[in-house]
Amino acid sequence: MEKYIKRWSLSEFSKELLSRFSLKTGKEEKVHNNTVTNWFNSLESQNIHYVPKSDEIRQFDELDLEIALFIMEMRKENWQLDAIFKIIPRKFDVRLQEPRVMTEEETKPYQEGDLLEAFYQNLKQMDERNRSQNLGIINYLELNNKRSNKLSELQSLQLEKKDLQIDLTQLENKLDNVDLRKEYLEILSLKQKSENVGRTKNKGFFAKLFSGPDSDQEEEIESDVSTEQSDKLSKLDEQRNNLLSKMAHIKREIENKEKQISVLSKEVESDYSQPLVKAKEKLLIETQEKLFEKGESDI
């Protein structure tokens, strides 16, 4: 069963569109049938949205009415059609005549914030007269855009700092491991030295004097063992110094990131957040003044 059942011909559709627009906005507007036709011709030619036809005559339904109402509202706000058409596939469950691969932008879930961004892009295409009539919203959106960029930069710095902290933790674990191995070798070396001293004390004068080749061989082995442990300790010291150097470098980088984060956080608050609140307040006042001038204020 189709979601939208009621259908209109072009002339009936245009009348229903004007009626809905009047109910929604409280304003009486006119739109020519040719204008409506041109909207849907453009949507169809760009394969954005398709209206079914019967005997080559379009049969509009409730979905088409919602789309047309959206176009009409945005056009009254001086939006360019290209900008409006970019929002439609994300805001409505559009009907396609031919299968096509949706763009990455079109597949993103629609959010109200997207409307502000699209409006900001649309303002760039406005002529000077329309721009001068929307200075409040332009100022607000430009501040909001700059603040968003700064917040993205701040988030990147925070992620970079987190990665550095992870690297530092890994180096600290490696250093602990090196220190444990070094401590073990030092204890082992002291133990062997102690055993060597004990064996020497237990030998008498004549035993030392008339000791044979086996005794010399034992001393050589002990000397080799001592040299090997000394080499291992030297390598561990080298590894330890290398780890300490890397850790010191990462700590300096973390300190730099923290300084950048601190400065950027203050900028976001002082240069953008506070002015943004004031711009929003000013925008609301300007909107109320415009409504009052038109006699549409509730006050």
Side-chain angles (χ1 to χ4, degrees):
M1 183 181 292
E2 290 188 10
K3 183 179 178 181
Y4 304 100
I5 300 174
K6 189 170 183 178
R7 299 186 182 278
W8 298 275
S9 63
L10 177 60
S11 58
E12 294 170 337
F13 181 76
S14 297
K15 290 178 182 177
E16 185 66 23
L17 174 61
L18 294 176
S19 175
R20 293 281 184 95
F21 184 84
S22 177
L23 286 172
K24 187 173 183 180
T25 64
K27 299 176 182 178
E28 296 292 335
E29 294 288 346
K30 294 182 179 180
V31 62
H32 199 278
N33 287 350
N34 290 342
T35 301
V36 175
T37 299
N38 289 336
W39 290 347
F40 286 95
N41 281 345
S42 296
L43 289 171
E44 185 175 326
S45 65
Q46 296 178 44
N47 200 21
I48 295 174
H49 179 71
Y50 173 72
V51 179
K53 298 176 182 177
S54 175
D55 296 329
E56 296 302 315
I57 299 175
R58 285 193 175 102
Q59 300 295 310
F60 298 92
D61 62 15
E62 189 68 28
L63 171 60
D64 307 313
L65 186 60
E66 290 177 11
I67 291 173
L69 186 59
F70 177 70
I71 295 173
M72 190 172 176
E73 289 173 349
M74 303 309 283
R75 288 295 287 164
K76 294 302 177 184
E77 296 294 333
N78 299 312
W79 279 59
Q80 304 294 318
L81 278 175
D82 288 344
I84 300 171
F85 288 174
K86 286 180 180 178
I87 299 174
I88 287 174
R90 297 174 61 186
K91 187 173 177 64
F92 299 97
D93 185 16
V94 294
R95 187 189 303 113
L96 301 179
Q97 183 179 18
E98 300 174 3
R100 68 178 175 89
V101 178
M102 303 286 277
T103 65
E104 183 180 354
E105 183 179 355
E106 290 173 343
T107 55
K108 291 179 181 177
Y110 176 77
Q111 298 176 352
E112 289 303 320
D114 298 331
L115 194 60
L116 284 175
E117 176 60 25
F119 189 27
Y120 179 69
Q121 297 300 325
N122 181 68
L123 285 170
K124 295 179 180 178
Q125 303 175 21
M126 284 186 177
D127 56 38
E128 287 303 317
R129 182 181 65 83
N130 287 327
R131 284 181 64 84
S132 64
Q133 293 175 354
N134 292 277
L135 287 177
I137 189 66
I138 290 172
N139 182 47
Y140 175 79
L141 290 173
E142 286 180 345
L143 278 171
N144 190 57
N145 191 48
K146 289 177 181 177
R147 182 175 181 274
S148 297
N149 292 337
K150 288 290 182 181
L151 286 174
S152 296
E153 187 179 344
L154 183 61
Q155 187 178 24
S156 296
L157 284 172
Q158 290 169 337
L159 290 174
E160 289 171 9
K161 178 190 170 184
K162 186 177 180 180
D163 289 340
L164 287 170
Q165 288 173 327
I166 291 172
D167 292 342
L168 182 61
T169 301
Q170 291 174 344
L171 289 175
E172 288 172 343
N173 292 336
K174 289 181 180 180
L175 182 63
D176 288 342
N177 187 39
V178 168
D179 285 340
L180 285 173
R181 289 163 60 194
K182 188 171 181 287
E183 184 179 356
Y184 169 75
L185 285 175
E186 287 172 344
I187 293 171
L188 185 62
S189 179
L190 286 172
K191 181 181 178 184
Q192 288 175 345
K193 286 179 181 178
S194 177
E195 289 175 351
N196 291 340
V197 171
R199 282 197 298 269
T200 303
K201 286 182 178 179
N202 290 333
K203 289 183 179 181
F205 173 76
F206 289 102
K208 295 177 184 177
L209 183 63
F210 298 105
S211 59
D214 290 340
S215 178
D216 293 337
Q217 189 174 4
E218 286 178 5
E219 290 180 1
E220 288 178 4
I221 292 172
E222 289 170 359
S223 177
D224 290 342
V225 170
S226 178
T227 302
E228 183 181 353
Q229 288 177 351
S230 179
D231 289 342
K232 287 182 178 178
L233 284 169
S234 295
K235 288 180 180 178
L236 288 173
D237 282 333
E238 186 179 342
Q239 289 179 25
R240 192 174 190 280
N241 291 333
N242 186 36
L243 288 170
L244 287 171
S245 177
K246 289 181 179 179
M247 288 169 61
H249 175 70
I250 289 178
K251 286 178 180 178
R252 287 194 296 270
E253 287 195 35
I254 289 175
E255 288 177 1
N256 289 333
K257 296 295 179 188
E258 287 174 343
K259 289 178 183 177
Q260 293 176 40
I261 288 170
S262 177
V263 171
L264 195 56
S265 297
K266 291 177 181 177
E267 286 182 4
V268 169
E269 182 61 27
S270 62
D271 295 350
Y272 299 106
S273 296
Q274 293 175 7
L276 193 61
V277 171
K278 292 180 180 178
K280 186 176 181 180
E281 291 174 351
K282 184 178 180 182
L283 182 60
L284 290 172
I285 292 171
E286 288 178 357
T287 303
Q288 289 176 349
E289 287 176 347
K290 288 180 180 178
L291 288 173
F292 184 79
E293 288 172 1
K294 294 178 180 179
E296 297 175 1
S297 175
D298 294 332
I299 299 175

